[in-house]
Amino acid sequence: MRLGVLDVGSNTVHLLVVDAHPGARPLPAYSYKAELRLAQLLDDQGAIGPGGVDRLVSTVRDALQAAEDKGVEDLLPFATSAVREARNADEVLARVRAETGVELTVLSGAEEARLTFLAVRRWFGWSAGKLLVLDIGGGSLEIAYGIDEEPDAAVSLPLGAGRLTAAWLPGDPPAPEDIRALRRHVRTEIARTVGEFSRFGAPDHVVATSKTFKQLARIGGAARSAEGLYVQRELKRASLESWVPRLTGMTTAELAELPGVSAGRAGQLLAGALVAEGAMDLFGVERLEICPWALREGVILRRLDHMVSA
């Protein structure tokens, strides 16, 4: 069957259309993206403003039309941290439903972490052993650990690259004191969770997903996306630590010229790098591998699992 996943994230609204059936890997058929940066559109009271809601409704409507055009049989729409944590989330969801007919399921942070973990486990298989999975989104950082398909521990922290950039790094380039303050904040937040994971022992394999990690790996010398999904890509902490001081003095325009860094995400790269560096340092990770599957694939896989058990 042809499935569509509509992901209303903190940075983008992304429709992924796949051809899938139980027991087989989902094959991508079509992708539609629109950058809204909802995590940066919250007002002082934490609500998504009228203009942001207008853009969201319009984008969901466009995505719905694209899904129809591509023959999607079953649409799985969900929203993550930006909508989840908005003060007016119920109003936003009600308006999307009323004007588009789309009922967005709001995933909790723990659900995001678990579904991403499922996708990573299916990608690498059982031979990967105990997995530690890191995922930096626009609004949150998800961390999950386990040896099965359901992680033993899964947490979500408000350390998304878009959220932190908007709240902590107003300059272009940011002021050194703002960078230091953000670095302290990031490491304090991550350090609070380390004990919850360390009691399970060292992982056999550390994996990262998300655009942020892919960009950091790319500027560190990893293969281009054009070389395909199955090329191994990794990020070494030594490489990241050498890049972070260079990123701190670069403008958004200069960051956008780095290999693999898109203009729309360039302004968030430094905050994402600080989160990645903090996580790798505090969890004692020297290198990690980039997984091409993440939350959207996890949602698809869970749907296929339910089809089998039904």
Side-chain angles (χ1 to χ4, degrees):
M1 66 188 303
R2 179 156 281 195
L3 294 175
V5 176
L6 181 58
D7 175 2
V8 178
S10 299
N11 278 317
T12 62
V13 174
H14 188 170
L15 169 70
L16 175 64
V17 177
V18 300
D19 292 319
H21 65 269
R25 62 186 176 92
L27 296 173
Y30 176 76
S31 178
Y32 165 89
K33 294 180 186 178
E35 288 196 355
L36 293 189
R37 302 180 195 171
L38 289 176
Q40 300 180 44
L41 295 178
L42 302 178
D43 61 23
D44 293 339
Q45 286 73 47
I48 300 174
V53 180
D54 288 343
R55 290 171 60 194
L56 175 58
V57 168
S58 175
T59 303
V60 169
R61 188 180 289 119
D62 290 343
L64 191 62
Q65 182 63 55
E68 180 181 321
D69 292 345
K70 296 302 177 182
V72 168
E73 183 176 344
D74 190 6
L75 184 67
L76 311 173
F78 66 89
T80 56
S81 64
V83 173
R84 178 173 69 236
E85 295 163 14
R87 185 177 57 82
N88 59 338
D90 290 342
E91 299 167 30
V92 172
L93 294 169
R95 188 169 161 204
V96 170
R97 182 173 58 249
E99 297 192 27
T100 69
V102 172
E103 183 85 40
L104 288 172
T105 298
V106 180
L107 299 180
S108 69
E111 286 174 321
E112 281 191 60
R114 287 195 293 268
L115 288 165
T116 301
F117 186 89
L118 171 64
V120 172
R121 170 58 74 194
R122 294 281 178 90
W123 181 268
F124 286 102
W126 299 114
S127 63
K130 293 178 287 186
L131 289 173
L132 174 64
V133 178
L134 306 172
D135 179 26
I136 302 172
S140 58
L141 162 69
E142 274 69 52
I143 308 169
Y145 176 102
I147 196 167
D148 297 315
E149 291 199 336
E150 183 70 21
D152 296 312
V155 301
S156 179
L157 303 175
L159 298 177
R163 176 202 298 269
L164 296 179
T165 301
W168 293 81
L169 302 177
D172 188 17
E177 58 269 23
D178 291 336
I179 297 171
R180 285 194 297 270
L182 175 57
R183 186 180 186 275
R184 287 194 298 269
H185 171 69
V186 164
R187 288 173 177 255
T188 298
E189 290 293 310
I190 295 173
R192 290 174 179 158
T193 72
V194 172
E196 183 175 344
F197 292 88
S198 61
R199 62 192 178 94
F200 294 107
D204 298 309
H205 202 61
V206 182
V207 178
T209 71
S210 75
K211 191 71 170 179
T212 293
F213 273 114
K214 291 175 183 176
Q215 291 179 335
L216 292 171
R218 178 72 185 98
I219 65 174
R224 297 175 298 117
S225 58
E227 295 183 37
L229 292 180
Y230 301 105
V231 176
Q232 184 179 15
R233 296 171 175 87
E234 66 175 25
L235 174 64
K236 295 180 180 179
R237 175 149 56 107
S239 170
L240 182 58
E241 288 175 343
S242 71
W243 266 101
V244 167
R246 298 163 65 182
L247 299 178
T248 59
M250 299 175 73
T251 65
T252 299
E254 291 169 335
L255 291 168
E257 295 178 359
L258 293 172
V261 178
S262 64
R265 299 288 186 101
Q268 304 178 15
L269 186 63
L270 174 58
L274 292 173
V275 175
E277 181 189 41
M280 292 182 76
D281 186 10
L282 291 165
F283 280 96
V285 176
E286 294 301 324
R287 60 173 293 277
L288 53 77
E289 191 167 351
I290 306 299
C291 180
W293 279 7
L295 177 59
R296 285 181 289 274
E297 288 78 11
V299 170
I300 292 168
L301 293 166
R302 181 59 51 82
R303 175 72 176 88
L304 292 174
D305 289 347
H306 288 165
M307 288 172 60
V308 172
S309 61

